[in-house]
Amino acid sequence: MKTVIEIEELKKIYTIGDQEIQALRGVNLTIEEGDFVAIMGPSGSGKSSMMNVIGCLDKPTSGEFYLDGFPVSEAHDDDLAVIRNQKIGFVFQNFNLLPRTSAVENVELPLLYGGVSAKERRERAIASLVSVGLGNRLHNKPNELSGGQQQRVSIARALVNNPVILLADEPTGALDTRTSIEIMNIFQQLNEAGKTIILVTHEPDIAEYAKRIVRFRDGQIIANELVTQRRWAHLEEVST
């Protein structure tokens, strides 16, 4: 099995005035291709710092981080921007869609930044929206879509560059229970098709849709366990 994330003795220290805050304290973590990992922990546990490092939104203070074999901890800012665009698909709690832009145009954005031609951008964006069940909503703007549909657009945008990993930060946090199950159904289908997914959540029931739960406390991993009684977001569960 191919290793897509290899983290060794990772530390992240923030300096505020004359005070140092150790957000991550020598974290070690390996994630294989096709895994589905939920990261959990209370506020201040280090899970958000871990997400920011994995998402190449922040650089570690020390330690090693390899993403798809690339030494991220040694990368310059320009390299990190390319990695974010080409290797990571982001899904956020509040969708982060451009409000005056149609669904298909929102999905095209990562391709626009990557210099893909207009014709190919449109074709790939449409295919990505169709894959999440929004082929009939291509030209709707976010305010014309439900919360669940907006999150589907966000997932389509995350997928359009065929990233190495999907990184989802509280993707069901703004959704009701039924819609949350629908979104987790999409994530599980993507994972079953081979996509590697990292999910940050504070909801234990949502974490149980993953294959593995990694728990943080005080900047360290205190548990890394397989989900023994995994939830499955079957359509019959959605309809109840």
Side-chain angles (χ1 to χ4, degrees), residues 2 4 33 68 82-90 107 110-111 116 120 124-125 127-128 131 155-167 190 193-196:
K2 178 183 177 183
V4 294
E33 185 177 42
D68 199 28
V82 172
I83 293 168
R84 287 194 299 269
N85 181 260
Q86 297 182 357
K87 293 187 177 292
I88 306 169
F90 293 93
V107 175
L111 302 174
V116 177
E120 185 179 349
R124 287 169 62 177
S128 195
S131 74
I155 294 170
R157 181 183 59 194
L159 291 170
V160 75
N161 259 338
N162 191 28
V164 174
I165 61 170
L166 278 185
L167 184 56
L190 291 169
K195 188 62 68 181
T196 307

Side-chain angles (χ1 to χ4, degrees), residues 51-112:
M51 186 206 73
N52 288 337
V53 170
I54 290 176
C56 298
L57 299 167
D58 201 358
K59 297 173 74 170
T61 303
S62 65
E64 300 296 331
F65 170 30
Y66 294 88
L67 173 58
D68 199 28
F70 185 85
V72 176
S73 46
E74 302 171 12
H76 298 292
D77 289 345
D78 289 346
D79 296 325
L80 293 178
V82 172
I83 293 168
R84 287 194 299 269
N85 181 260
Q86 297 182 357
K87 293 187 177 292
I88 306 169
F90 293 93
V91 182
F92 299 100
Q93 177 176 340
N94 294 319
F95 322 133
N96 285 16
L97 302 176
L98 297 180
R100 296 185 177 87
T101 304
S102 69
V104 70
E105 290 168 333
N106 266 288
V107 175
E108 284 180 337
L109 281 176
L111 302 174
L112 178 64

Side-chain angles (χ1 to χ4, degrees), residues 181-198:
I181 294 170
E182 292 173 349
I183 294 302
M184 294 313 299
N185 181 44
I186 292 174
F187 281 127
Q188 287 189 323
Q189 289 177 351
L190 291 169
N191 181 244
E192 289 298 296
K195 188 62 68 181
T196 307
I197 300 174
I198 302 169

Side-chain angles (χ1 to χ4, degrees), residues 29-41:
L29 180 64
T30 300
I31 297 177
E32 307 288 347
E33 185 177 42
D35 207 348
F36 188 168
V37 178
I39 294 178
M40 299 193 71

Side-chain angles (χ1 to χ4, degrees), residues 111-178:
L111 302 174
L112 178 64
Y113 299 144
V116 177
S117 69
K119 182 176 183 292
E120 185 179 349
R121 286 201 308 267
R122 185 53 52 100
E123 290 173 351
R124 287 169 62 177
I126 290 173
S128 195
L129 283 164
V130 168
S131 74
V132 297
L134 288 180
N136 62 340
R137 297 284 188 174
L138 302 179
H139 303 292
N140 289 86
K141 295 178 181 178
N143 64 358
E144 299 169 328
L145 300 171
S146 69
Q149 289 169 335
Q150 290 184 64
Q151 193 60 291
R152 287 171 184 257
V153 174
S154 177
I155 294 170
R157 181 183 59 194
L159 291 170
V160 75
N161 259 338
N162 191 28
V164 174
I165 61 170
L166 278 185
L167 184 56
D169 183 17
E170 302 282 2
T172 62
L175 305 175
D176 60 35
T177 300
R178 174 192 171 92

